[in-house]
Amino acid sequence: MSLSSSLSKDSILQAFDHFREELDDYNDRRERLIKASRDVTNISKKTIFLMFRIIGESDSHDPSVAKVAAQRGREKLREVQDMYAKMRSELEGDRYWRHQRQVSPGLQEYIEALSFAHFLEYGSLITFRQVQDTLSEPTNGKPHFPLSVSDYLLGVSDLMGELMRHAISGISKRGGRTKASEICAFVRNCKADFESFTPFIHDLRKKQSVTTQSLTKIEDATYAIVVRGSEYDLPQEMLDDIVAQSISTLTDGTFTDEQRQSKRHRSDSE
């Protein structure tokens, strides 16, 4: 009786030792993924700033400048792609879905930066497959982890805020009014297309609200310029000066609140 009791006690202790090891492994992996996600977020933000800086150095909407900015952005984002390649072993099997909450914030920021580079180069929305391809082995195309539709949609939704910045900050440049009108139509179409997914994807409704604010700001800016230009037969140079002065007052404090609303849920999830 005492021997069986001893064996039973040893088996229970071994089982709890195994549980402890699993929990320690889970918590250690979780902390590593949180740190990696923060690093991805920082690199992605710096990439967006880099592309805006390159675009801002030009006094016109030159497609060649936008293409250079996109190429520089893609080069910078290779650092993120290398980081995700190293994280592959951490996210094998069902681990990705167990740790999706820790991975999603950085992944959405990466998709935002990648989609901005894609828009600058091609003027279109990057597809789900194109994003997944950047997160796959270049030799055999095997994904490092499965990209979820929710992360894709939430990431490209954040792109709308960057496009608002791009449209308004460059509206006084040569060709800026035409570019702003094109971006306005693009953002409007994306918002309409994303609306059907809001009942199924958590947080997408919040993103749509921010997109509505961004769209309103682009529409207000472009409408004011069209009306001002039609009311007064102004020379092109004078109209550009008026636009630049109007935009400087419009953009003061414009982006801070929007960025805060758009990013707050990411830090909460971490």
Side-chain angles (χ1 to χ4, degrees):
M1 186 68 178
S2 60
L3 180 60
S4 61
S5 299
S6 177
L7 291 175
S8 177
K9 181 179 180 181
D10 290 341
S11 63
I12 293 174
L13 290 175
Q14 289 176 1
F16 273 91
D17 286 340
H18 179 68
F19 296 154
R20 185 190 66 234
E21 291 174 359
E22 284 191 344
L23 287 173
D24 289 344
D25 182 64
Y26 172 84
N27 290 326
D28 291 343
R29 184 181 301 107
R30 178 178 180 276
E31 292 300 321
R32 289 195 297 270
L33 292 174
I34 289 175
K35 182 181 183 302
S37 183
R38 288 172 178 166
D39 292 340
V40 168
T41 298
N42 290 334
I43 296 174
S44 300
K45 287 182 177 179
K46 291 178 180 178
T47 302
I48 294 174
F49 296 153
L50 171 66
M51 290 186 284
F52 269 115
R53 187 170 67 249
I54 295 174
I55 296 170
E57 292 174 353
S58 174
D59 59 355
S60 65
H61 281 278
D62 187 347
S64 63
V65 176
K67 188 173 182 178
V68 169
Q71 291 174 346
R72 291 282 302 278
R74 290 179 185 277
E75 291 172 2
K76 184 72 174 175
L77 288 176
R78 288 198 186 100
E79 298 180 27
V80 175
Q81 294 161 11
D82 292 340
M83 292 177 63
Y84 279 129
K86 295 177 181 177
M87 292 164 58
R88 181 175 180 175
S89 60
E90 302 274 20
L91 300 171
E92 289 180 335
D94 65 342
R95 289 178 180 175
Y96 172 75
W97 303 109
R98 294 176 67 184
H99 295 283
Q100 187 184 16
R101 189 177 178 85
Q102 288 76 52
V103 177
S104 287
L107 182 58
Q108 292 175 32
E109 196 76 42
Y110 165 73
I111 294 173
E112 178 183 356
L114 182 66
S115 60
F116 187 47
H118 183 89
F119 181 86
L120 290 178
E121 188 168 2
Y122 301 106
S124 61
L125 187 68
I126 193 169
T127 65
F128 178 90
R129 174 52 56 189
Q130 288 171 325
V131 176
Q132 181 70 86
D133 288 344
T134 67
L135 300 172
S136 304
E137 288 291 337
T139 54
N140 55 22
K142 186 176 181 181
H144 303 318
F145 52 83
L147 175 66
S148 67
V149 174
S150 60
D151 283 333
Y152 167 74
L153 286 175
L154 294 173
V156 294
S157 292
D158 285 333
L159 169 66
M160 305 304 128
E162 303 304 336
L163 293 182
M164 183 269 292
R165 289 185 60 190
H166 182 39
I168 293 181
S169 62
I171 203 170
S172 60
K173 298 179 180 181
R174 290 195 303 273
R177 291 181 289 283
T178 300
K179 175 60 71 173
S181 297
E182 294 173 355
I183 292 176
C184 185
F186 178 83
V187 173
R188 188 184 297 115
N189 291 335
C190 287
K191 179 182 180 299
D193 292 339
F194 294 165
E195 192 65 32
S196 60
F197 295 99
T198 53
F200 310 105
I201 297 179
H202 183 63
D203 284 335
L204 184 57
R205 192 173 300 278
K206 297 178 184 177
K207 302 276 188 176
Q208 285 288 86
S209 177
V210 176
T211 298
T212 300
Q213 297 174 23
S214 298
L215 179 59
T216 300
K217 290 169 186 174
I218 303 173
E219 290 175 338
D220 288 346
T222 53
Y223 176 77
I225 291 168
V226 170
V227 171
R228 184 66 63 89
S230 62
E231 286 180 348
Y232 308 100
D233 188 15
L234 299 174
Q236 192 72 17
E237 295 78 9
M238 186 178 296
L239 183 58
D240 286 341
D241 292 338
I242 294 175
V243 171
Q245 184 177 3
S246 300
I247 295 305
S248 65
T249 58
L250 177 65
T251 55
D252 284 343
T254 293
F255 310 118
T256 304
D257 293 339
E258 178 171 315
Q259 291 293 333
R260 186 181 299 116
Q261 293 177 23
S262 177
K263 312 298 183 185
R264 182 179 298 150
H265 76 284
R266 297 185 186 179
S267 59
D268 292 344
S269 66
E270 292 184 3

